[in-house]
Amino acid sequence: MVLAVVAVGAAATAVFSTAEHAAVRSLVRTDQIATAVARNEARTYGVSLAGPPLGGLLFGIGRALPFLGNALSFLMSLMAVLCIRRPLQQPRHEPAQTVGASAAQGFRFLLRQPFLRSLLLIAVPLNMAFTGMIFAMTLSLRRSGVSPFVVGLAGTIFALGGFLGAFAAPLLQRRLRLPVLIPLLCWVTAVLMTAGALLAGTVLAAVPLAAAVFLGPSANAALFGHQAAVTPDHLQGRVVSVLLLAAGSAAAPAPALAGALLAHAPASRAMLVFPMLVTAAALAATFSRGLRTMSETKTTSP
């Protein structure tokens, strides 16, 4: 039953996340989209900081309470969505397409846009690298005999890095042009992940990895914010679904890859695979025509 609930919840989250990304441009001005995406990142990391301790506290009081709390949180979310008074998309006059035709239309539009193609090439290896690196770091700490408390503390440090990075994202975007910001963030992340891999098995490894997680929201806000600005309203959900499917599909096997690597090689060598993935994303960002022409790309009015 738990597995069924998790599967249904994950499927619903995928649909909700697509709609959430697609609706942002209808709720804020075009020049506020990147900041809005960054604030959503802060919310996500904030929940990941507060959720596990709260769940543990509720479980200690009564085993059913975490599930009741989760149900109440979804009810509160539903009420908040119902309180939104602005339209979440522009009026549609054409007849609804089938799911397959809609997905194909979004995929074709993505392939025709240099920036969106670049976004796909950058987001896929980055997602896989972050997911695999954090999982591998946790495994290596446990294998080295680090106490569960310290392992949990390392996870908290990762989430805190992302939480603070989400608030710093708008500042970084104001200081640096996006075609400069994205390659710089990718290269710095590759260096930080390499340092974390070389320190694998020690608590110190959490420091450079937390710094890398700190940079993640800035990259996400810049990339997905610009995606929302250049994609027509009626294609928002279709394009976002393709991007999230590709990024999520890459992240899904990352824990298994991390486990396989750690089973056959020392942690400091095995984990270097993930900085290499980030390096591939950095190369794509550095030489991408889609990123170099971002400032020239015409944005569609919301």
Side-chain angles (χ1 to χ4, degrees), residues 57-151:
L57 175 64
L58 292 175
F59 189 79
I61 298 173
R63 294 190 173 186
L65 286 182
F67 301 97
L68 177 61
N70 201 28
L72 289 175
S73 72
F74 280 109
L75 180 61
M76 293 173 63
S77 177
L78 173 63
M79 297 304 296
V81 171
L82 292 177
C83 287
I84 298 175
R85 293 291 177 257
R86 296 184 61 177
L88 297 181
Q89 65 181 27
Q90 295 176 358
R92 306 290 172 86
H93 304 291
E94 71 278 4
Q97 295 179 312
T98 63
V99 173
S102 296
Q105 185 182 21
F107 189 66
R108 288 195 300 269
F109 178 83
L110 185 149
L111 291 181
R112 289 197 301 266
Q113 300 294 320
F115 168 76
L116 294 178
R117 292 199 303 269
S118 301
L119 173 56
L120 193 64
L121 292 175
I122 296 168
V124 168
L126 276 181
N127 254 34
M128 189 172 192
F130 272 107
T131 303
M133 189 72 176
I134 292 174
F135 189 83
M137 185 70 66
T138 304
L139 286 181
S140 66
L141 288 174
R142 290 297 297 136
R143 195 164 69 175
S144 299
V146 177
S147 69
F149 171 77
V150 176
V151 174

Coordinates of all heavy atoms in Angstrom, one line a residue, residues 57-151:
L57 N 9.3 14.0 14.4 CA 8.7 14.4 15.6 C 7.2 13.9 15.7 O 6.8 13.3 16.7 CB 8.6 16.0 15.7 CG 7.9 16.6 16.9 CD1 8.5 16.2 18.2 CD2 7.8 18.1 16.8
L58 N 6.5 14.0 14.6 CA 5.1 13.5 14.5 C 5.1 12.0 14.6 O 4.2 11.4 15.3 CB 4.4 14.0 13.2 CG 4.2 15.5 13.1 CD1 3.6 15.8 11.7 CD2 3.2 15.9 14.2
F59 N 6.0 11.3 14.0 CA 6.1 9.8 14.1 C 6.3 9.4 15.5 O 5.8 8.3 15.9 CB 7.2 9.3 13.1 CG 7.1 7.8 13.0 CD1 6.2 7.2 12.1 CD2 8.0 7.0 13.7 CE1 6.2 5.8 12.0 CE2 8.0 5.6 13.5 CZ 7.0 5.0 12.7
G60 N 7.2 10.2 16.2 CA 7.4 9.8 17.6 C 6.2 9.9 18.5 O 6.0 9.2 19.5
I61 N 5.3 10.9 18.1 CA 4.1 11.1 18.9 C 3.0 10.0 18.6 O 2.3 9.4 19.4 CB 3.5 12.5 18.7 CG1 4.5 13.5 19.2 CG2 2.1 12.6 19.4 CD1 4.1 14.9 18.8
G62 N 2.9 9.7 17.3 CA 1.9 8.7 16.8 C 2.2 8.3 15.4 O 2.5 9.2 14.6
R63 N 2.2 7.1 15.1 CA 2.6 6.6 13.7 C 1.8 7.1 12.6 O 2.2 7.3 11.5 CB 2.7 5.1 13.7 CG 3.7 4.5 14.6 CD 3.9 3.0 14.3 NE 5.0 2.5 15.1 CZ 5.4 1.2 15.0 NH1 4.8 0.4 14.2 NH2 6.4 0.8 15.7
A64 N 0.5 7.5 12.9 CA -0.4 7.9 11.8 C -0.2 9.4 11.6 O -0.7 10.0 10.6 CB -1.8 7.6 12.2
L65 N 0.4 10.2 12.5 CA 0.4 11.6 12.5 C 1.2 12.2 11.3 O 0.7 13.2 10.7 CB 1.0 12.2 13.8 CG 0.0 12.1 15.0 CD1 0.7 12.8 16.2 CD2 -1.3 12.8 14.7
P66 N 2.3 11.6 10.9 CA 3.0 12.1 9.7 C 2.1 12.1 8.4 O 2.1 13.0 7.6 CB 4.2 11.2 9.5 CG 4.5 10.7 10.9 CD 3.1 10.5 11.5
F67 N 1.3 11.0 8.3 CA 0.4 10.8 7.1 C -0.7 11.8 7.2 O -1.1 12.4 6.2 CB -0.1 9.4 7.0 CG 1.0 8.4 6.9 CD1 1.5 7.7 8.0 CD2 1.6 8.1 5.7 CE1 2.5 6.8 7.9 CE2 2.6 7.2 5.6 CZ 3.1 6.5 6.7
L68 N -1.2 12.1 8.4 CA -2.3 13.0 8.6 C -1.8 14.4 8.3 O -2.4 15.2 7.6 CB -2.8 13.0 10.0 CG -3.9 14.0 10.4 CD1 -5.1 13.9 9.5 CD2 -4.3 13.9 11.9
G69 N -0.6 14.7 8.8 CA 0.1 16.0 8.5 C 0.3 16.2 7.0 O 0.1 17.3 6.5
N70 N 0.7 15.2 6.3 CA 0.9 15.3 4.9 C -0.4 15.6 4.1 O -0.5 16.4 3.2 CB 1.5 14.0 4.4 CG 2.2 14.1 3.0 OD1 2.7 15.2 2.7 ND2 2.3 13.1 2.2
A71 N -1.5 14.9 4.6 CA -2.8 15.1 4.0 C -3.3 16.5 4.2 O -3.8 17.2 3.3 CB -3.8 14.1 4.5
L72 N -3.0 17.1 5.4 CA -3.4 18.4 5.7 C -2.6 19.4 4.9 O -3.1 20.5 4.4 CB -3.2 18.7 7.2 CG -4.2 18.0 8.1 CD1 -3.8 18.3 9.6 CD2 -5.6 18.5 7.9
S73 N -1.3 19.1 4.6 CA -0.5 20.0 3.8 C -1.0 20.1 2.4 O -1.1 21.1 1.7 CB 1.0 19.6 3.8 OG 1.1 18.4 3.1
F74 N -1.5 19.0 1.8 CA -2.1 19.0 0.5 C -3.4 19.7 0.5 O -3.7 20.4 -0.5 CB -2.3 17.5 0.0 CG -1.1 16.9 -0.5 CD1 -0.4 15.8 0.1 CD2 -0.5 17.3 -1.7 CE1 0.7 15.2 -0.3 CE2 0.7 16.7 -2.2 CZ 1.3 15.7 -1.5
L75 N -4.2 19.6 1.5 CA -5.4 20.4 1.6 C -5.2 21.9 1.7 O -5.8 22.6 1.0 CB -6.2 19.9 2.9 CG -7.6 20.6 3.1 CD1 -8.5 20.3 1.9 CD2 -8.2 20.2 4.4
M76 N -4.1 22.3 2.4 CA -3.8 23.7 2.5 C -3.3 24.2 1.1 O -3.6 25.3 0.7 CB -2.7 23.9 3.5 CG -3.2 23.7 4.9 SD -1.8 23.7 6.1 CE -1.2 25.4 5.9
S77 N -2.5 23.3 0.4 CA -2.1 23.7 -1.0 C -3.3 23.8 -1.9 O -3.3 24.8 -2.7 CB -1.1 22.6 -1.5 OG -0.7 22.8 -2.8
L78 N -4.2 22.9 -1.8 CA -5.4 23.1 -2.6 C -6.2 24.4 -2.4 O -6.6 25.1 -3.3 CB -6.4 21.9 -2.4 CG -7.7 21.9 -3.1 CD1 -7.6 21.9 -4.6 CD2 -8.6 20.7 -2.6
M79 N -6.3 24.7 -1.1 CA -7.0 26.0 -0.8 C -6.2 27.2 -1.3 O -6.8 28.1 -1.8 CB -7.1 26.1 0.8 CG -8.0 25.0 1.4 SD -9.7 24.9 0.7 CE -10.3 26.5 1.2
A80 N -4.9 27.1 -1.2 CA -4.1 28.2 -1.7 C -4.3 28.4 -3.2 O -4.4 29.5 -3.8 CB -2.6 28.0 -1.4
V81 N -4.3 27.3 -4.0 CA -4.5 27.3 -5.4 C -5.9 27.9 -5.8 O -6.0 28.7 -6.7 CB -4.3 25.9 -6.0 CG1 -4.7 25.9 -7.5 CG2 -2.8 25.5 -5.9
L82 N -6.9 27.5 -5.0 CA -8.2 28.0 -5.3 C -8.3 29.5 -5.0 O -9.3 30.1 -5.5 CB -9.2 27.2 -4.4 CG -9.4 25.7 -4.7 CD1 -10.4 25.1 -3.7 CD2 -9.9 25.6 -6.2
C83 N -7.5 30.0 -4.2 CA -7.5 31.5 -3.9 C -6.8 32.3 -4.9 O -6.9 33.6 -4.9 CB -6.8 31.7 -2.5 SG -7.8 31.1 -1.1
I84 N -6.2 31.7 -5.9 CA -5.6 32.5 -7.0 C -6.7 33.0 -7.9 O -7.5 32.2 -8.4 CB -4.6 31.6 -7.8 CG1 -3.4 31.1 -6.9 CG2 -4.0 32.4 -9.0 CD1 -2.5 30.2 -7.6
R85 N -6.7 34.3 -8.1 CA -7.8 34.9 -8.8 C -7.4 35.2 -10.3 O -8.3 35.5 -11.1 CB -8.2 36.2 -8.1 CG -8.9 35.9 -6.8 CD -10.3 35.3 -7.0 NE -10.9 34.9 -5.8 CZ -11.0 33.7 -5.3 NH1 -10.4 32.7 -6.0 NH2 -11.6 33.4 -4.2
R86 N -6.1 35.2 -10.6 CA -5.7 35.5 -12.0 C -5.7 34.3 -12.8 O -5.5 33.1 -12.3 CB -4.3 36.1 -12.0 CG -4.2 37.4 -11.2 CD -2.8 38.0 -11.4 NE -2.4 38.3 -12.8 CZ -1.3 38.8 -13.1 NH1 -0.4 39.2 -12.2 NH2 -1.0 39.0 -14.4
P87 N -6.0 34.4 -14.1 CA -6.0 33.2 -15.0 C -4.6 32.6 -15.0 O -3.6 33.3 -15.1 CB -6.4 33.7 -16.4 CG -7.1 35.0 -16.1 CD -6.4 35.6 -14.8
L88 N -4.5 31.3 -15.0 CA -3.2 30.6 -15.0 C -2.8 30.3 -16.5 O -1.7 29.7 -16.6 CB -3.3 29.3 -14.2 CG -3.6 29.5 -12.7 CD1 -3.6 28.1 -12.0 CD2 -2.6 30.4 -12.1
Q89 N -3.6 30.6 -17.4 CA -3.1 30.5 -18.8 C -4.0 31.4 -19.7 O -5.1 31.9 -19.2 CB -3.2 29.1 -19.4 CG -4.7 28.5 -19.4 CD -4.7 27.1 -19.9 OE1 -3.8 26.4 -19.7 NE2 -5.8 26.7 -20.5
Q90 N -3.6 31.7 -20.9 CA -4.4 32.6 -21.8 C -5.6 31.8 -22.3 O -5.5 30.5 -22.3 CB -3.5 33.1 -22.9 CG -2.4 34.0 -22.5 CD -1.5 34.4 -23.6 OE1 -1.7 33.9 -24.8 NE2 -0.5 35.2 -23.3
P91 N -6.6 32.4 -22.8 CA -7.8 31.7 -23.3 C -7.4 30.9 -24.5 O -6.5 31.3 -25.3 CB -8.7 32.8 -23.8 CG -8.3 34.0 -22.9 CD -6.8 33.9 -22.8
R92 N -8.0 29.7 -24.7 CA -7.7 28.8 -25.8 C -8.9 28.7 -26.7 O -10.0 28.6 -26.2 CB -7.4 27.4 -25.2 CG -6.2 27.3 -24.2 CD -4.9 27.7 -24.9 NE -3.8 27.8 -23.9 CZ -3.1 26.8 -23.4 NH1 -3.4 25.6 -23.8 NH2 -2.2 27.0 -22.6
H93 N -8.7 28.9 -28.0 CA -9.8 28.8 -28.9 C -9.8 27.6 -29.8 O -10.8 27.2 -30.3 CB -9.8 30.1 -29.8 CG -9.9 31.4 -29.0 ND1 -11.0 31.8 -28.3 CD2 -8.9 32.3 -28.8 CE1 -10.8 32.9 -27.7 NE2 -9.5 33.3 -27.9
E94 N -8.6 27.0 -29.9 CA -8.5 25.8 -30.8 C -8.9 24.6 -30.0 O -8.9 24.6 -28.8 CB -7.0 25.6 -31.3 CG -6.0 25.2 -30.2 CD -5.5 26.3 -29.3 OE1 -6.0 27.5 -29.5 OE2 -4.7 26.1 -28.4
P95 N -9.4 23.6 -30.7 CA -9.9 22.4 -30.1 C -8.7 21.6 -29.4 O -7.6 21.7 -29.8 CB -10.5 21.5 -31.2 CG -9.8 22.1 -32.4 CD -9.6 23.5 -32.2
A96 N -9.0 20.9 -28.3 CA -8.0 20.2 -27.5 C -7.4 19.1 -28.4 O -8.1 18.4 -29.1 CB -8.6 19.7 -26.2
Q97 N -6.0 19.0 -28.3 CA -5.3 17.9 -29.0 C -5.2 16.7 -28.1 O -5.4 16.7 -26.8 CB -3.9 18.4 -29.4 CG -3.9 19.5 -30.4 CD -2.5 19.9 -30.7 OE1 -1.7 20.1 -29.9 NE2 -2.2 20.0 -32.0
T98 N -4.9 15.6 -28.7 CA -4.6 14.3 -27.9 C -3.3 14.5 -27.2 O -2.5 15.4 -27.5 CB -4.5 13.1 -28.8 OG1 -3.4 13.3 -29.7 CG2 -5.8 12.9 -29.6
V99 N -3.1 13.7 -26.1 CA -1.9 13.8 -25.4 C -0.7 13.6 -26.2 O 0.3 14.3 -26.1 CB -1.9 12.7 -24.2 CG1 -0.6 12.7 -23.5 CG2 -3.0 13.0 -23.3
G100 N -0.7 12.6 -27.1 CA 0.4 12.3 -28.0 C 0.7 13.5 -28.9 O 1.9 13.9 -29.1
A101 N -0.3 14.1 -29.5 CA -0.1 15.2 -30.4 C 0.4 16.4 -29.7 O 1.3 17.2 -30.2 CB -1.4 15.6 -31.1
S102 N -0.1 16.7 -28.4 CA 0.4 17.8 -27.6 C 1.9 17.6 -27.3 O 2.7 18.6 -27.4 CB -0.4 17.9 -26.3 OG -1.7 18.2 -26.6
A103 N 2.3 16.4 -26.9 CA 3.7 16.1 -26.5 C 4.6 16.3 -27.8 O 5.7 16.9 -27.7 CB 3.8 14.7 -26.0
A104 N 4.1 15.8 -28.9 CA 4.9 15.9 -30.1 C 5.1 17.4 -30.5 O 6.2 17.8 -31.0 CB 4.2 15.2 -31.3
Q105 N 4.0 18.2 -30.3 CA 4.1 19.6 -30.7 C 5.1 20.3 -29.8 O 5.9 21.1 -30.2 CB 2.7 20.3 -30.5 CG 2.7 21.7 -31.0 CD 1.4 22.4 -30.8 OE1 0.5 21.9 -30.0 NE2 1.1 23.5 -31.5
G106 N 5.1 20.0 -28.5 CA 6.1 20.6 -27.6 C 7.5 20.2 -27.9 O 8.4 21.0 -27.8
F107 N 7.7 18.9 -28.3 CA 9.0 18.4 -28.6 C 9.5 19.1 -29.9 O 10.7 19.5 -29.9 CB 9.0 16.9 -28.8 CG 10.3 16.3 -28.9 CD1 11.2 16.3 -27.8 CD2 10.7 15.7 -30.1 CE1 12.4 15.6 -28.0 CE2 11.9 15.1 -30.2 CZ 12.8 15.0 -29.1
R108 N 8.7 19.3 -30.9 CA 9.1 19.9 -32.1 C 9.5 21.4 -31.9 O 10.5 21.8 -32.4 CB 8.0 19.8 -33.2 CG 7.8 18.5 -33.7 CD 6.9 18.5 -35.0 NE 5.6 19.1 -34.7 CZ 4.5 18.4 -34.4 NH1 4.6 17.1 -34.3 NH2 3.4 19.0 -34.2
F109 N 8.7 22.1 -31.0 CA 9.0 23.5 -30.7 C 10.4 23.5 -30.0 O 11.2 24.4 -30.3 CB 7.9 24.1 -29.9 CG 8.2 25.5 -29.5 CD1 7.9 26.5 -30.3 CD2 8.8 25.8 -28.2 CE1 8.2 27.9 -30.0 CE2 9.1 27.1 -27.9 CZ 8.8 28.1 -28.8
L110 N 10.6 22.6 -29.1 CA 11.9 22.6 -28.3 C 13.1 22.4 -29.2 O 14.1 23.1 -29.1 CB 11.8 21.5 -27.2 CG 13.0 21.4 -26.3 CD1 12.5 20.9 -24.9 CD2 14.1 20.5 -26.8
L111 N 12.9 21.5 -30.2 CA 14.1 21.2 -31.1 C 14.3 22.3 -32.0 O 15.5 22.5 -32.5 CB 13.8 19.9 -31.9 CG 13.8 18.6 -31.1 CD1 13.5 17.4 -32.0 CD2 15.1 18.4 -30.3
R112 N 13.3 23.2 -32.3 CA 13.5 24.3 -33.2 C 14.2 25.5 -32.6 O 14.7 26.4 -33.2 CB 12.2 24.7 -33.9 CG 11.6 23.7 -34.9 CD 10.6 24.4 -35.7 NE 9.5 25.0 -34.9 CZ 8.4 24.3 -34.7 NH1 8.2 23.1 -35.1 NH2 7.4 24.9 -33.9
Q113 N 14.2 25.5 -31.2 CA 14.7 26.7 -30.5 C 16.1 26.4 -30.0 O 16.3 25.5 -29.2 CB 13.8 27.0 -29.3 CG 12.4 27.4 -29.7 CD 12.3 28.7 -30.5 OE1 13.0 29.6 -30.2 NE2 11.5 28.7 -31.5
P114 N 17.2 27.1 -30.4 CA 18.5 26.9 -30.0 C 18.7 26.9 -28.5 O 19.4 26.1 -27.9 CB 19.3 28.0 -30.7 CG 18.5 28.4 -31.9 CD 17.1 28.2 -31.5
F115 N 18.0 27.9 -27.8 CA 18.2 28.0 -26.4 C 17.6 26.8 -25.7 O 18.2 26.2 -24.7 CB 17.5 29.3 -25.8 CG 17.4 29.3 -24.3 CD1 18.5 29.5 -23.5 CD2 16.1 29.0 -23.7 CE1 18.4 29.5 -22.2 CE2 16.0 28.9 -22.4 CZ 17.1 29.2 -21.6
L116 N 16.4 26.4 -26.1 CA 15.8 25.2 -25.4 C 16.5 23.9 -25.7 O 16.6 23.1 -24.8 CB 14.3 25.1 -25.9 CG 13.4 26.2 -25.6 CD1 12.0 26.0 -26.1 CD2 13.3 26.4 -24.0
R117 N 17.2 23.8 -26.8 CA 18.0 22.6 -27.1 C 19.2 22.7 -26.1 O 19.6 21.6 -25.5 CB 18.5 22.6 -28.5 CG 17.4 22.3 -29.5 CD 18.1 21.8 -30.9 NE 19.0 22.8 -31.4 CZ 18.7 23.8 -32.2 NH1 17.4 23.9 -32.6 NH2 19.6 24.6 -32.7
S118 N 19.8 23.9 -25.9 CA 20.9 24.0 -25.0 C 20.5 23.7 -23.6 O 21.2 23.0 -22.8 CB 21.4 25.4 -25.0 OG 21.9 25.7 -26.3
L119 N 19.3 24.2 -23.2 CA 18.7 23.9 -21.9 C 18.6 22.4 -21.6 O 19.0 21.9 -20.5 CB 17.4 24.5 -21.7 CG 16.6 24.2 -20.4 CD1 17.4 24.6 -19.2 CD2 15.3 25.0 -20.4
L120 N 18.2 21.6 -22.6 CA 18.1 20.2 -22.5 C 19.5 19.6 -22.3 O 19.6 18.7 -21.4 CB 17.4 19.6 -23.8 CG 16.9 18.2 -23.7 CD1 15.8 18.0 -22.7 CD2 16.5 17.7 -25.1
L121 N 20.5 20.0 -23.0 CA 21.8 19.4 -22.9 C 22.5 19.8 -21.6 O 23.3 19.0 -21.1 CB 22.7 20.0 -24.1 CG 22.3 19.5 -25.5 CD1 23.2 20.2 -26.5 CD2 22.5 18.0 -25.6
I122 N 22.1 20.9 -21.0 CA 22.7 21.3 -19.7 C 21.9 20.6 -18.6 O 22.5 20.1 -17.6 CB 22.6 22.8 -19.6 CG1 23.5 23.5 -20.7 CG2 23.1 23.3 -18.2 CD1 23.3 25.0 -20.8
A123 N 20.6 20.7 -18.6 CA 19.8 20.2 -17.5 C 19.9 18.7 -17.2 O 20.0 18.2 -16.1 CB 18.3 20.6 -17.7
V124 N 20.0 17.9 -18.3 CA 20.0 16.4 -18.1 C 21.3 16.0 -17.4 O 21.2 15.3 -16.3 CB 19.9 15.8 -19.5 CG1 20.2 14.3 -19.4 CG2 18.5 15.9 -20.1
P125 N 22.5 16.3 -17.8 CA 23.7 15.9 -17.0 C 23.8 16.5 -15.6 O 24.2 15.9 -14.7 CB 24.9 16.2 -17.9 CG 24.4 17.3 -18.8 CD 22.9 17.0 -19.0
L126 N 23.3 17.7 -15.5 CA 23.3 18.4 -14.2 C 22.4 17.7 -13.2 O 22.8 17.4 -12.0 CB 22.9 19.8 -14.3 CG 24.0 20.9 -14.7 CD1 23.4 22.3 -14.7 CD2 25.2 20.8 -13.7
N127 N 21.2 17.3 -13.6 CA 20.3 16.6 -12.7 C 20.9 15.3 -12.3 O 20.8 14.9 -11.1 CB 19.0 16.4 -13.4 CG 17.9 17.3 -12.9 OD1 18.2 18.5 -12.5 ND2 16.7 16.9 -12.9
M128 N 21.4 14.5 -13.3 CA 22.0 13.2 -13.0 C 23.2 13.4 -12.0 O 23.3 12.6 -11.1 CB 22.4 12.5 -14.2 CG 22.8 11.1 -14.0 SD 23.1 10.3 -15.6 CE 23.2 8.6 -15.1
A129 N 24.0 14.4 -12.2 CA 25.2 14.6 -11.4 C 24.8 14.9 -10.0 O 25.4 14.3 -9.0 CB 26.1 15.7 -12.0
F130 N 23.9 15.8 -9.8 CA 23.5 16.2 -8.4 C 22.9 15.1 -7.7 O 23.2 14.8 -6.5 CB 22.6 17.4 -8.4 CG 23.3 18.8 -8.4 CD1 23.4 19.5 -9.6 CD2 24.0 19.2 -7.3 CE1 24.0 20.8 -9.6 CE2 24.6 20.4 -7.3 CZ 24.7 21.2 -8.4
T131 N 21.9 14.4 -8.3 CA 21.3 13.3 -7.7 C 22.2 12.2 -7.3 O 22.2 11.7 -6.2 CB 20.2 12.7 -8.6 OG1 19.3 13.8 -8.9 CG2 19.4 11.6 -7.9
G132 N 23.1 11.8 -8.2 CA 24.1 10.7 -8.0 C 25.1 11.1 -7.0 O 25.5 10.3 -6.1
M133 N 25.6 12.4 -7.0 CA 26.6 12.8 -6.1 C 26.2 12.8 -4.7 O 26.9 12.4 -3.8 CB 27.1 14.2 -6.5 CG 28.3 14.7 -5.8 SD 29.8 13.8 -6.3 CE 31.1 14.6 -5.4
I134 N 25.0 13.3 -4.4 CA 24.4 13.4 -3.1 C 24.2 12.0 -2.5 O 24.5 11.7 -1.4 CB 23.2 14.2 -3.0 CG1 23.5 15.7 -3.3 CG2 22.5 14.1 -1.7 CD1 22.3 16.6 -3.4
F135 N 23.7 11.1 -3.4 CA 23.4 9.7 -2.9 C 24.8 9.0 -2.7 O 24.9 8.3 -1.6 CB 22.7 9.0 -4.0 CG 22.2 7.6 -3.6 CD1 21.0 7.5 -2.9 CD2 22.9 6.5 -3.9 CE1 20.6 6.2 -2.5 CE2 22.5 5.2 -3.5 CZ 21.3 5.1 -2.8
A136 N 25.7 9.2 -3.6 CA 27.1 8.6 -3.3 C 27.7 9.1 -2.1 O 28.4 8.4 -1.4 CB 27.9 8.8 -4.6
M137 N 27.6 10.4 -1.9 CA 28.2 11.0 -0.7 C 27.6 10.4 0.6 O 28.3 10.0 1.5 CB 27.9 12.5 -0.6 CG 28.6 13.2 0.5 SD 30.4 13.3 0.3 CE 30.5 14.3 -1.2
T138 N 26.3 10.2 0.6 CA 25.6 9.5 1.8 C 26.1 8.1 2.0 O 26.5 7.7 3.1 CB 24.1 9.6 1.6 OG1 23.7 10.9 1.4 CG2 23.4 9.0 2.8
L139 N 26.2 7.3 0.9 CA 26.7 6.0 1.0 C 28.2 5.9 1.5 O 28.5 5.1 2.3 CB 26.6 5.3 -0.4 CG 25.2 4.9 -0.8 CD1 25.3 4.2 -2.2 CD2 24.5 3.9 0.2
S140 N 29.0 6.8 1.0 CA 30.4 6.8 1.3 C 30.6 7.1 2.8 O 31.5 6.6 3.5 CB 31.2 7.7 0.4 OG 30.8 9.1 0.7
L141 N 29.8 8.0 3.3 CA 29.9 8.4 4.7 C 29.5 7.2 5.6 O 30.1 6.9 6.6 CB 29.0 9.6 5.0 CG 29.5 11.0 4.5 CD1 28.4 12.0 4.7 CD2 30.8 11.4 5.1
R142 N 28.4 6.5 5.2 CA 28.0 5.4 6.0 C 29.0 4.3 6.0 O 29.3 3.6 7.0 CB 26.6 4.9 5.5 CG 25.4 5.8 5.9 CD 25.2 6.0 7.4 NE 24.9 4.7 8.0 CZ 25.4 4.3 9.1 NH1 26.3 5.0 9.8 NH2 25.0 3.1 9.7
R143 N 29.6 4.0 4.8 CA 30.5 3.0 4.6 C 31.8 3.3 5.4 O 32.5 2.4 5.8 CB 30.9 2.8 3.2 CG 31.6 1.5 2.9 CD 31.6 1.1 1.4 NE 32.4 2.0 0.6 CZ 32.6 1.9 -0.7 NH1 32.0 0.9 -1.3 NH2 33.3 2.7 -1.4
S144 N 32.1 4.6 5.7 CA 33.3 5.0 6.4 C 33.0 4.9 7.9 O 33.9 5.3 8.7 CB 33.7 6.4 6.0 OG 34.1 6.4 4.7
G145 N 31.8 4.5 8.3 CA 31.5 4.4 9.8 C 31.0 5.7 10.4 O 30.9 5.8 11.6
V146 N 30.7 6.7 9.6 CA 30.1 7.9 10.2 C 28.8 7.7 10.8 O 28.0 6.9 10.2 CB 30.1 9.0 9.1 CG1 29.5 10.3 9.6 CG2 31.5 9.3 8.5
S147 N 28.5 8.3 11.9 CA 27.2 8.0 12.6 C 26.0 8.5 11.8 O 26.2 9.5 11.0 CB 27.2 8.7 14.0 OG 27.2 10.2 13.8
P148 N 24.9 7.9 12.0 CA 23.7 8.4 11.3 C 23.4 9.8 11.5 O 22.9 10.5 10.6 CB 22.6 7.5 11.8 CG 23.3 6.2 12.2 CD 24.6 6.7 12.8
F149 N 23.6 10.3 12.7 CA 23.4 11.7 13.0 C 24.2 12.6 12.1 O 23.7 13.6 11.6 CB 23.7 12.0 14.5 CG 23.7 13.5 14.8 CD1 22.5 14.2 15.0 CD2 24.8 14.2 15.0 CE1 22.4 15.5 15.3 CE2 24.8 15.6 15.2 CZ 23.6 16.2 15.4
V150 N 25.5 12.3 12.0 CA 26.3 13.1 11.1 C 25.9 13.1 9.7 O 26.0 14.0 8.9 CB 27.8 12.7 11.3 CG1 28.7 13.5 10.4 CG2 28.2 13.0 12.7
V151 N 25.5 11.9 9.2 CA 25.0 11.7 7.9 C 23.8 12.6 7.6 O 23.7 13.3 6.6 CB 24.7 10.2 7.5 CG1 24.1 10.1 6.2 CG2 26.0 9.4 7.6

